[in-house]
Amino acid sequence: MLIGELAAASGLSREALRFYEQQGLIRARRLGNGYRDYPPEVVALVQYIRTAQQLGFTLAEIGDRLPAIWDAPEPGPLVNQVLASKLGEIDARIAALQALRQSLAERVAADCPLQAAQGS
């Protein structure tokens, strides 16, 4: 399928698809006239990439994990493992932000916010 057809099928712009290709996330072969020709399964791959982005994965993270998931005979368990790992990372960031918030709240309540509370 040509890039315009993939754009219509995936809901992404041609520019986004070209960017995904530059990042090595998708591949196309070139026709004799230089046009990109994508296999039909790239639609599912692009949908996976979009979903992963919506779940907080960066394109670098997606690119690192994509080959193993795409090549797995049964990708479900591997996807669950990747999602669980991301959930752990998010939980750790939330905990760090909560600790930062507590520290800021203590300083706001202090007589001199630039000095750390005694005994902390």
Coordinates of all heavy atoms in Angstrom, one line a residue, residues 22-113:
Q22 N 11.8 7.0 9.5 CA 13.1 7.6 9.8 C 13.6 7.0 11.1 O 14.8 6.8 11.3 CB 13.1 9.1 9.9 CG 13.0 9.8 8.5 CD 12.7 11.3 8.7 OE1 12.5 11.8 9.8 NE2 12.9 12.0 7.6
Q23 N 12.7 6.8 12.1 CA 13.1 6.3 13.4 C 13.3 4.8 13.4 O 13.6 4.2 14.4 CB 12.0 6.7 14.4 CG 11.8 8.1 14.6 CD 13.1 8.8 15.0 OE1 13.7 8.4 16.0 NE2 13.5 9.8 14.3
G24 N 13.0 4.1 12.3 CA 13.2 2.7 12.2 C 12.0 1.9 12.7 O 12.1 0.7 12.9
L25 N 10.9 2.5 13.0 CA 9.7 1.8 13.6 C 8.9 1.1 12.5 O 8.3 0.0 12.8 CB 8.8 2.8 14.3 CG 9.5 3.5 15.5 CD1 8.5 4.6 16.0 CD2 9.8 2.6 16.6
I26 N 8.9 1.6 11.3 CA 8.2 0.9 10.2 C 9.1 0.9 9.0 O 10.1 1.7 8.9 CB 6.8 1.5 9.8 CG1 7.0 3.0 9.4 CG2 5.9 1.4 11.0 CD1 5.7 3.6 8.9
R27 N 8.9 0.0 8.1 CA 9.7 -0.1 6.9 C 8.8 -0.2 5.6 O 7.7 -0.7 5.7 CB 10.6 -1.3 6.9 CG 11.7 -1.2 7.9 CD 12.7 -2.3 7.8 NE 13.6 -2.3 8.9 CZ 13.6 -3.3 9.8 NH1 12.8 -4.3 9.7 NH2 14.4 -3.2 10.8
A28 N 9.3 0.4 4.6 CA 8.6 0.3 3.3 C 9.7 -0.1 2.2 O 10.9 0.2 2.4 CB 8.0 1.6 2.9
R29 N 9.2 -0.7 1.2 CA 10.2 -0.9 0.1 C 9.9 0.2 -0.9 O 8.8 0.8 -0.9 CB 10.0 -2.3 -0.5 CG 8.7 -2.6 -1.2 CD 8.6 -4.0 -1.7 NE 7.4 -4.3 -2.4 CZ 7.2 -4.2 -3.7 NH1 8.2 -3.9 -4.5 NH2 6.0 -4.4 -4.2
R30 N 10.8 0.4 -1.8 CA 10.6 1.5 -2.8 C 10.2 0.9 -4.1 O 10.8 -0.1 -4.5 CB 11.9 2.3 -2.9 CG 12.2 3.2 -1.7 CD 11.3 4.3 -1.5 NE 11.7 5.1 -0.4 CZ 11.5 6.4 -0.3 NH1 10.8 7.0 -1.3 NH2 11.8 7.1 0.7
L31 N 9.2 1.5 -4.7 CA 8.8 1.0 -6.0 C 9.7 1.7 -7.0 O 10.5 2.6 -6.7 CB 7.4 1.5 -6.3 CG 6.3 0.8 -5.3 CD1 4.9 1.4 -5.6 CD2 6.3 -0.7 -5.4
G32 N 9.7 1.3 -8.3 CA 10.5 1.8 -9.3 C 10.4 3.3 -9.5 O 11.4 4.0 -9.8
N33 N 9.3 3.8 -9.2 CA 9.1 5.3 -9.3 C 9.5 6.0 -8.0 O 9.3 7.2 -7.9 CB 7.6 5.6 -9.6 CG 6.6 5.1 -8.6 OD1 7.0 4.6 -7.6 ND2 5.3 5.1 -9.0
G34 N 10.0 5.3 -7.0 CA 10.5 5.9 -5.8 C 9.4 6.0 -4.7 O 9.7 6.4 -3.5
Y35 N 8.2 5.6 -5.0 CA 7.1 5.7 -4.0 C 7.3 4.6 -2.9 O 7.9 3.5 -3.2 CB 5.8 5.4 -4.6 CG 5.2 6.5 -5.5 CD1 4.0 6.4 -6.1 CD2 6.0 7.7 -5.7 CE1 3.5 7.4 -6.9 CE2 5.5 8.7 -6.5 CZ 4.2 8.6 -7.1 OH 3.7 9.6 -7.9
R36 N 6.9 4.9 -1.7 CA 7.0 3.9 -0.6 C 5.9 2.9 -0.8 O 4.7 3.3 -1.1 CB 6.8 4.6 0.7 CG 8.0 5.4 1.1 CD 7.7 6.3 2.4 NE 8.8 6.9 2.9 CZ 9.3 8.1 2.6 NH1 8.6 8.8 1.6 NH2 10.3 8.6 3.1
D37 N 6.2 1.6 -0.6 CA 5.2 0.6 -0.6 C 5.2 -0.2 0.7 O 6.2 -0.8 1.0 CB 5.4 -0.4 -1.8 CG 4.4 -1.4 -2.0 OD1 3.2 -1.1 -1.7 OD2 4.8 -2.6 -2.3
Y38 N 4.1 -0.1 1.5 CA 4.1 -0.7 2.8 C 3.3 -2.0 2.7 O 2.2 -2.1 2.1 CB 3.4 0.2 3.8 CG 4.2 1.5 4.0 CD1 3.9 2.6 3.3 CD2 5.2 1.5 5.0 CE1 4.6 3.8 3.5 CE2 5.9 2.7 5.2 CZ 5.6 3.8 4.5 OH 6.3 5.0 4.7
P39 N 3.7 -3.0 3.4 CA 2.9 -4.3 3.5 C 1.7 -4.0 4.4 O 1.7 -3.1 5.2 CB 3.8 -5.3 4.2 CG 4.9 -4.5 4.9 CD 5.0 -3.2 4.1
P40 N 0.6 -4.8 4.1 CA -0.7 -4.5 4.9 C -0.5 -4.6 6.4 O -1.2 -3.9 7.1 CB -1.6 -5.6 4.3 CG -1.0 -6.1 3.1 CD 0.5 -5.8 3.1
E41 N 0.4 -5.4 6.9 CA 0.5 -5.6 8.3 C 1.0 -4.4 9.0 O 1.0 -4.2 10.3 CB 1.3 -6.8 8.7 CG 2.7 -6.8 8.2 CD 2.9 -7.5 6.8 OE1 1.9 -7.8 6.2 OE2 4.0 -7.7 6.4
V42 N 1.5 -3.4 8.3 CA 2.1 -2.2 8.9 C 0.9 -1.4 9.5 O 1.1 -0.6 10.5 CB 2.8 -1.3 7.8 CG1 3.2 0.0 8.4 CG2 4.1 -2.1 7.4
V43 N -0.3 -1.5 9.0 CA -1.5 -0.8 9.7 C -1.6 -1.2 11.1 O -1.7 -0.4 12.0 CB -2.8 -1.1 8.9 CG1 -4.0 -0.5 9.6 CG2 -2.7 -0.6 7.5
A44 N -1.5 -2.5 11.4 CA -1.6 -3.0 12.8 C -0.4 -2.5 13.6 O -0.5 -2.2 14.8 CB -1.6 -4.5 12.8
L45 N 0.8 -2.5 13.0 CA 2.0 -2.0 13.7 C 1.9 -0.5 14.0 O 2.2 -0.1 15.2 CB 3.2 -2.2 12.8 CG 4.6 -1.8 13.3 CD1 4.9 -2.5 14.6 CD2 5.6 -2.1 12.3
V46 N 1.4 0.3 13.1 CA 1.2 1.7 13.4 C 0.2 1.9 14.5 O 0.4 2.7 15.4 CB 0.8 2.4 12.1 CG1 0.3 3.8 12.4 CG2 1.9 2.5 11.1
Q47 N -0.9 1.1 14.5 CA -1.9 1.2 15.6 C -1.2 0.8 16.9 O -1.5 1.4 18.0 CB -3.1 0.3 15.3 CG -3.9 0.8 14.1 CD -5.0 -0.1 13.6 OE1 -4.9 -1.3 13.9 NE2 -5.9 0.4 12.9
Y48 N -0.4 -0.2 16.9 CA 0.3 -0.6 18.2 C 1.2 0.6 18.7 O 1.2 0.9 19.8 CB 1.2 -1.8 17.9 CG 2.2 -2.1 19.0 CD1 1.8 -2.7 20.2 CD2 3.5 -1.6 18.9 CE1 2.8 -2.8 21.2 CE2 4.5 -1.8 19.9 CZ 4.1 -2.4 21.1 OH 5.0 -2.6 22.1
I49 N 1.9 1.2 17.7 CA 2.8 2.3 18.1 C 2.0 3.5 18.7 O 2.3 4.0 19.7 CB 3.6 2.8 16.9 CG1 4.6 1.7 16.4 CG2 4.4 4.1 17.2 CD1 5.2 1.9 15.1
R50 N 0.9 3.8 18.1 CA 0.0 4.9 18.6 C -0.5 4.6 19.9 O -0.5 5.4 20.8 CB -1.1 5.2 17.6 CG -0.7 5.8 16.3 CD -1.8 6.1 15.4 NE -2.6 7.2 16.0 CZ -3.9 7.5 15.5 NH1 -4.4 6.8 14.6 NH2 -4.5 8.4 16.1
T51 N -1.0 3.3 20.2 CA -1.5 2.9 21.5 C -0.4 3.0 22.5 O -0.6 3.5 23.6 CB -2.1 1.5 21.4 OG1 -3.1 1.5 20.4 CG2 -2.6 1.1 22.8
A52 N 0.8 2.5 22.2 CA 1.9 2.6 23.1 C 2.3 4.0 23.5 O 2.5 4.3 24.7 CB 3.1 1.9 22.5
Q53 N 2.2 4.9 22.5 CA 2.5 6.3 22.8 C 1.4 6.9 23.8 O 1.7 7.6 24.7 CB 2.5 7.1 21.6 CG 3.8 7.0 20.8 CD 3.8 7.9 19.6 OE1 3.0 7.7 18.6 NE2 4.6 9.0 19.6
Q54 N 0.1 6.5 23.6 CA -0.9 7.0 24.4 C -0.8 6.4 25.8 O -1.3 7.1 26.8 CB -2.3 6.6 23.8 CG -2.6 7.3 22.6 CD -3.8 6.7 21.8 OE1 -4.3 5.7 22.1 NE2 -4.3 7.5 20.8
L55 N -0.1 5.3 26.0 CA 0.1 4.7 27.3 C 1.4 5.2 28.0 O 1.8 4.8 29.0 CB 0.2 3.2 27.2 CG -1.2 2.5 26.8 CD1 -1.0 1.0 26.6 CD2 -2.2 2.7 27.9
G56 N 2.0 6.2 27.3 CA 3.2 6.9 27.9 C 4.5 6.4 27.5 O 5.6 6.8 28.0
F57 N 4.6 5.5 26.5 CA 5.9 5.0 26.0 C 6.4 6.0 25.0 O 5.7 6.6 24.2 CB 5.7 3.7 25.3 CG 5.4 2.5 26.2 CD1 4.2 2.2 26.6 CD2 6.5 1.8 26.7 CE1 3.9 1.1 27.5 CE2 6.2 0.7 27.6 CZ 4.9 0.4 28.0
T58 N 7.7 6.2 25.1 CA 8.4 7.1 24.1 C 8.6 6.3 22.9 O 8.6 5.1 22.9 CB 9.8 7.6 24.7 OG1 10.6 6.5 24.8 CG2 9.6 8.3 26.0
L59 N 8.9 7.0 21.8 CA 9.2 6.3 20.5 C 10.5 5.4 20.7 O 10.6 4.3 20.1 CB 9.4 7.2 19.4 CG 8.0 7.8 18.9 CD1 8.3 8.8 17.7 CD2 7.0 6.8 18.5
A60 N 11.5 5.9 21.5 CA 12.7 5.1 21.7 C 12.3 3.8 22.4 O 12.9 2.8 22.1 CB 13.7 6.0 22.5
E61 N 11.5 3.9 23.5 CA 11.1 2.7 24.2 C 10.4 1.7 23.3 O 10.6 0.5 23.3 CB 10.2 3.1 25.4 CG 10.9 3.8 26.5 CD 9.9 4.3 27.6 OE1 8.8 4.7 27.2 OE2 10.3 4.2 28.8
I62 N 9.5 2.3 22.5 CA 8.7 1.4 21.5 C 9.7 0.8 20.6 O 9.6 -0.4 20.3 CB 7.7 2.3 20.8 CG1 6.6 2.8 21.7 CG2 7.0 1.5 19.6 CD1 5.7 3.9 21.1
G63 N 10.6 1.5 20.0 CA 11.6 1.0 19.1 C 12.5 -0.1 19.7 O 12.8 -1.1 19.0
D64 N 12.8 0.1 20.9 CA 13.7 -0.9 21.6 C 12.9 -2.2 21.8 O 13.5 -3.3 21.7 CB 14.1 -0.4 23.0 CG 15.2 0.7 22.9 OD1 15.8 0.9 21.8 OD2 15.4 1.4 23.9
R65 N 11.6 -2.2 22.1 CA 10.9 -3.4 22.5 C 10.1 -4.0 21.3 O 9.7 -5.1 21.3 CB 9.9 -3.0 23.6 CG 10.6 -2.7 24.9 CD 9.6 -2.2 25.9 NE 10.2 -2.0 27.2 CZ 10.6 -0.9 27.7 NH1 10.3 0.2 27.0 NH2 11.1 -0.8 28.9
L66 N 10.0 -3.2 20.2 CA 9.1 -3.6 19.1 C 9.6 -4.9 18.4 O 8.8 -5.8 18.2 CB 9.1 -2.5 18.1 CG 8.1 -2.6 17.0 CD1 6.7 -2.7 17.5 CD2 8.2 -1.4 16.0
P67 N 10.9 -5.0 18.1 CA 11.3 -6.3 17.4 C 10.9 -7.6 18.1 O 10.4 -8.5 17.5 CB 12.8 -6.1 17.2 CG 13.0 -4.7 17.3 CD 12.0 -4.1 18.2
A68 N 11.1 -7.6 19.4 CA 10.9 -8.8 20.2 C 9.4 -9.1 20.2 O 8.9 -10.2 20.1 CB 11.4 -8.6 21.6
I69 N 8.6 -8.0 20.4 CA 7.1 -8.2 20.4 C 6.6 -8.6 19.1 O 5.8 -9.6 19.0 CB 6.4 -6.9 20.9 CG1 6.8 -6.7 22.4 CG2 4.9 -7.0 20.7 CD1 6.3 -5.3 22.9
W70 N 7.1 -8.0 18.0 CA 6.6 -8.2 16.7 C 6.9 -9.6 16.2 O 6.2 -10.3 15.5 CB 7.1 -7.2 15.7 CG 6.3 -7.1 14.5 CD1 6.7 -7.5 13.2 CD2 5.0 -6.6 14.3 NE1 5.8 -7.3 12.3 CE2 4.7 -6.7 12.9 CE3 4.0 -6.1 15.1 CZ2 3.5 -6.3 12.4 CZ3 2.8 -5.7 14.6 CH2 2.5 -5.8 13.2
D71 N 8.1 -10.1 16.6 CA 8.6 -11.4 16.2 C 8.1 -12.6 17.1 O 8.3 -13.7 16.7 CB 10.1 -11.4 16.1 CG 10.6 -10.5 15.0 OD1 9.9 -10.2 14.1 OD2 11.8 -10.1 15.1
A72 N 7.5 -12.3 18.2 CA 7.1 -13.3 19.2 C 5.9 -14.1 18.6 O 5.0 -13.5 18.0 CB 6.7 -12.7 20.5
P73 N 6.0 -15.4 18.7 CA 4.8 -16.2 18.2 C 3.6 -15.9 19.0 O 2.5 -15.9 18.4 CB 5.3 -17.7 18.4 CG 6.5 -17.6 19.2 CD 7.0 -16.3 19.2
E74 N 3.7 -15.6 20.3 CA 2.5 -15.2 21.1 C 3.0 -14.0 21.9 O 3.6 -14.1 22.9 CB 2.2 -16.4 22.1 CG 1.0 -16.0 23.0 CD -0.2 -15.6 22.3 OE1 -0.6 -16.2 21.3 OE2 -0.8 -14.5 22.7
P75 N 2.7 -12.8 21.3 CA 3.2 -11.6 21.9 C 2.5 -11.1 23.2 O 3.0 -10.3 24.0 CB 2.9 -10.5 20.9 CG 1.8 -11.1 20.0 CD 1.9 -12.6 20.1
G76 N 1.3 -11.7 23.5 CA 0.6 -11.3 24.7 C 1.3 -11.3 26.0 O 1.4 -10.2 26.7
P77 N 2.0 -12.3 26.4 CA 2.8 -12.3 27.7 C 3.9 -11.3 27.6 O 4.2 -10.6 28.7 CB 3.3 -13.7 27.8 CG 2.4 -14.6 27.0 CD 2.0 -13.7 25.8
L78 N 4.5 -11.1 26.5 CA 5.6 -10.1 26.4 C 5.1 -8.7 26.5 O 5.6 -7.9 27.2 CB 6.4 -10.3 25.1 CG 7.6 -9.5 24.9 CD1 8.6 -9.6 26.1 CD2 8.3 -9.8 23.6
V79 N 3.9 -8.5 25.9 CA 3.3 -7.1 26.0 C 2.9 -6.9 27.5 O 3.1 -5.8 28.0 CB 2.1 -7.0 25.1 CG1 1.3 -5.8 25.4 CG2 2.5 -7.0 23.6
N80 N 2.3 -7.9 28.2 CA 2.0 -7.7 29.6 C 3.2 -7.4 30.4 O 3.1 -6.6 31.3 CB 1.3 -9.0 30.1 CG -0.2 -9.1 29.7 OD1 -0.8 -8.1 29.3 ND2 -0.7 -10.3 29.8
Q81 N 4.3 -8.1 30.1 CA 5.6 -7.8 30.9 C 6.0 -6.4 30.6 O 6.4 -5.7 31.6 CB 6.6 -8.8 30.4 CG 7.9 -8.6 31.1 CD 9.0 -9.6 30.6 OE1 8.9 -10.1 29.5 NE2 10.0 -9.9 31.4
V82 N 6.0 -5.9 29.4 CA 6.4 -4.5 29.1 C 5.5 -3.5 29.8 O 5.9 -2.5 30.4 CB 6.4 -4.3 27.6 CG1 6.5 -2.8 27.2 CG2 7.5 -5.1 26.9
L83 N 4.2 -3.8 29.8 CA 3.2 -2.9 30.4 C 3.4 -2.9 31.9 O 3.4 -1.8 32.6 CB 1.8 -3.3 30.1 CG 1.3 -3.1 28.6 CD1 -0.1 -3.6 28.4 CD2 1.5 -1.7 28.2
A84 N 3.7 -4.0 32.5 CA 3.9 -4.1 34.0 C 5.2 -3.3 34.4 O 5.2 -2.6 35.4 CB 4.0 -5.6 34.4
S85 N 6.2 -3.4 33.5 CA 7.4 -2.7 33.8 C 7.2 -1.2 33.7 O 7.7 -0.4 34.6 CB 8.5 -3.1 32.7 OG 9.6 -2.3 32.9
K86 N 6.4 -0.7 32.7 CA 6.1 0.7 32.6 C 5.3 1.1 33.8 O 5.5 2.3 34.3 CB 5.3 0.9 31.3 CG 5.1 2.4 31.0 CD 6.4 3.1 30.7 CE 6.2 4.5 30.1 NZ 7.5 5.2 29.9
L87 N 4.3 0.3 34.2 CA 3.5 0.7 35.4 C 4.4 0.9 36.6 O 4.2 1.8 37.4 CB 2.5 -0.4 35.6 CG 1.5 -0.2 36.7 CD1 0.7 1.1 36.5 CD2 0.6 -1.4 36.9
G88 N 5.4 0.0 36.8 CA 6.4 0.2 37.9 C 7.1 1.5 37.8 O 7.3 2.2 38.8
E89 N 7.5 1.8 36.6 CA 8.3 3.1 36.4 C 7.4 4.3 36.7 O 7.8 5.2 37.4 CB 8.7 3.2 34.9 CG 9.8 2.3 34.5 CD 10.1 2.3 33.0 OE1 9.7 3.3 32.4 OE2 10.7 1.4 32.5
I90 N 6.1 4.2 36.3 CA 5.2 5.3 36.6 C 4.9 5.4 38.1 O 4.9 6.5 38.7 CB 3.9 5.1 35.8 CG1 4.1 5.4 34.3 CG2 2.8 6.0 36.3 CD1 3.0 5.0 33.4
D91 N 4.7 4.3 38.8 CA 4.6 4.3 40.2 C 5.8 4.9 40.9 O 5.6 5.6 41.9 CB 4.3 2.8 40.7 CG 2.9 2.3 40.4 OD1 2.0 3.1 40.1 OD2 2.7 1.1 40.5
A92 N 7.0 4.6 40.5 CA 8.2 5.2 41.1 C 8.2 6.7 40.9 O 8.6 7.4 41.8 CB 9.4 4.5 40.5
R93 N 7.8 7.1 39.7 CA 7.8 8.6 39.4 C 6.8 9.3 40.3 O 7.0 10.4 40.8 CB 7.5 8.8 37.9 CG 8.8 8.5 37.1 CD 8.7 8.9 35.6 NE 7.6 9.5 35.1 CZ 7.1 9.3 33.9 NH1 7.6 8.4 33.1 NH2 6.0 10.0 33.4
I94 N 5.6 8.6 40.5 CA 4.6 9.2 41.3 C 5.1 9.3 42.7 O 4.9 10.3 43.4 CB 3.3 8.4 41.2 CG1 2.6 8.5 39.9 CG2 2.3 8.7 42.4 CD1 1.4 7.6 39.6
A95 N 5.7 8.3 43.3 CA 6.3 8.3 44.6 C 7.3 9.4 44.8 O 7.3 10.2 45.8 CB 6.9 7.0 45.0
A96 N 8.2 9.6 43.8 CA 9.2 10.7 43.8 C 8.5 12.0 43.8 O 8.9 12.9 44.5 CB 10.1 10.5 42.7
L97 N 7.5 12.2 43.0 CA 6.7 13.4 42.9 C 6.0 13.7 44.2 O 5.9 14.9 44.7 CB 5.8 13.4 41.7 CG 6.4 13.6 40.4 CD1 5.3 13.4 39.3 CD2 7.0 15.0 40.2
Q98 N 5.5 12.7 44.9 CA 4.8 12.9 46.1 C 5.8 13.3 47.2 O 5.5 14.2 48.0 CB 4.1 11.6 46.6 CG 2.8 11.3 45.8 CD 2.1 10.0 46.1 OE1 2.8 9.0 46.4 NE2 0.8 9.9 45.9
A99 N 7.0 12.7 47.2 CA 8.0 13.1 48.1 C 8.4 14.6 47.9 O 8.6 15.4 48.8 CB 9.2 12.2 48.1
L100 N 8.6 15.0 46.6 CA 8.9 16.3 46.3 C 7.8 17.3 46.7 O 8.1 18.3 47.3 CB 9.1 16.4 44.8 CG 9.5 17.8 44.2 CD1 10.7 18.4 44.8 CD2 9.6 17.8 42.7
R101 N 6.6 16.9 46.5 CA 5.5 17.7 46.9 C 5.5 17.9 48.4 O 5.2 19.0 48.9 CB 4.1 17.1 46.5 CG 3.0 18.0 46.8 CD 1.6 17.3 46.7 NE 0.5 18.2 46.9 CZ 0.3 18.8 48.1 NH1 1.0 18.6 49.1 NH2 -0.8 19.7 48.2
Q102 N 5.7 16.9 49.2 CA 5.8 17.0 50.6 C 6.9 17.9 51.1 O 6.7 18.8 51.9 CB 6.0 15.6 51.3 CG 6.1 15.6 52.8 CD 4.8 16.1 53.4 OE1 3.7 15.8 52.9 NE2 4.9 16.8 54.6
S103 N 8.0 17.8 50.4 CA 9.2 18.7 50.8 C 8.8 20.2 50.5 O 9.1 21.1 51.3 CB 10.4 18.3 50.0 OG 11.5 19.2 50.2
L104 N 8.2 20.4 49.3 CA 7.8 21.8 49.0 C 6.7 22.3 50.0 O 6.8 23.5 50.4 CB 7.2 21.8 47.6 CG 8.3 21.7 46.5 CD1 7.6 21.5 45.1 CD2 9.2 22.9 46.5
A105 N 5.8 21.5 50.3 CA 4.7 21.9 51.3 C 5.3 22.2 52.6 O 4.9 23.2 53.2 CB 3.7 20.8 51.4
E106 N 6.3 21.5 53.1 CA 7.0 21.8 54.3 C 7.7 23.1 54.2 O 7.7 23.9 55.2 CB 8.0 20.7 54.7 CG 7.3 19.4 55.1 CD 8.2 18.2 55.2 OE1 9.5 18.4 55.1 OE2 7.7 17.1 55.5
R107 N 8.3 23.4 53.1 CA 9.0 24.7 53.0 C 8.1 25.9 52.9 O 8.4 26.9 53.4 CB 10.0 24.6 51.7 CG 11.2 23.8 52.0 CD 12.0 23.7 50.7 NE 13.1 22.7 51.0 CZ 14.4 23.1 51.2 NH1 14.7 24.4 51.3 NH2 15.3 22.2 51.4
V108 N 6.9 25.7 52.2 CA 5.9 26.7 52.1 C 5.4 27.1 53.5 O 5.2 28.3 53.9 CB 4.8 26.3 51.2 CG1 3.6 27.2 51.4 CG2 5.2 26.3 49.8
A109 N 5.3 26.1 54.4 CA 4.8 26.3 55.8 C 5.9 26.9 56.7 O 5.6 27.3 57.8 CB 4.3 25.0 56.3
A110 N 7.2 26.8 56.3 CA 8.3 27.2 57.2 C 8.4 28.8 57.2 O 8.0 29.4 56.3 CB 9.6 26.6 56.7
D111 N 9.0 29.3 58.3 CA 9.3 30.7 58.4 C 10.2 31.2 57.2 O 10.1 32.2 56.7 CB 9.9 31.0 59.7 CG 8.9 30.9 60.9 OD1 7.7 31.0 60.6 OD2 9.3 30.6 62.0
C112 N 11.2 30.3 56.9 CA 12.2 30.7 55.9 C 12.2 29.5 54.9 O 12.8 28.5 55.1 CB 13.6 30.9 56.5 SG 14.8 31.3 55.2
P113 N 11.5 29.6 53.8 CA 11.3 28.5 52.9 C 12.6 28.0 52.2 O 12.7 26.9 51.7 CB 10.4 29.0 51.8 CG 9.8 30.3 52.3 CD 10.7 30.8 53.4

